[in-house]
Amino acid sequence: QVQLVESGGRSVQAGGSLRLSCAASGYIASTGCMGWFRQAPGKEREGVAAIYTGGGNSFYADSVKGRFTISEDNTRNIVYLQMNSLKPEDTAMYFCAADNFDVALGRELRADGFRFWGQGTQVTVSS
């Protein structure tokens, strides 16, 4: 059983920065994929960023490229999402997701690429 716990969400003004953390426990394959998704009220869940653990490739939605950075501390099973130059449209509940390499392959920014999800952390960006 994989458990994911997000933290770091809060209210911030536009132009500010936040760092979200996702702590993973339980079994995760040595080469897996972890991602960040977000969902705003009335909108579908969208992929924001993903990374193959153990130093693999990372992926970003066009809307966050150049502003967000996903990284990992694989000694502690933590994945981070550094968010800079935040905009009001970044306001959403942010979810961490994880799965094995062979499940996520080709679906890194798609919700159907992940079976394991955290409960989410709220990010609110005010103008």
Side-chain angles (χ1 to χ4, degrees), residues 22-117:
C22 173
S25 61
Y27 170 76
I28 295 180
S30 59
T31 53
C33 188
M34 295 188 70
W36 285 97
F37 289 74
R38 65 186 181 187
Q39 188 166 19
K43 295 189 176 181
E44 292 187 357
R45 189 169 296 191
E46 64 170 339
V48 175
I51 188 168
Y52 282 101
T53 57
N57 290 339
S58 56
F59 304 81
Y60 296 93
D62 288 342
S63 58
V64 306
K65 281 180 182 176
R67 299 189 299 123
F68 291 10
T69 303
I70 189 169
S71 62
E72 60 168 336
D73 180 347
N74 57 14
T75 64
R76 299 169 62 198
N77 285 341
I78 298 176
V79 170
Y80 302 101
L81 185 67
Q82 177 67 43
M83 305 187 295
N84 298 328
S85 302
L86 283 161
K87 306 174 181 180
E89 51 264 43
D90 295 319
T91 295
M93 183 73 77
Y94 283 71
F95 298 90
C96 178
D99 217 308
N100 296 330
F101 173 90
D102 56 347
V103 175
L105 185 63
R107 298 182 288 181
E108 293 84 3
L109 294 179
R110 289 168 42 182
D112 64 355
F114 299 87
R115 292 172 294 169
F116 306 109
W117 293 84

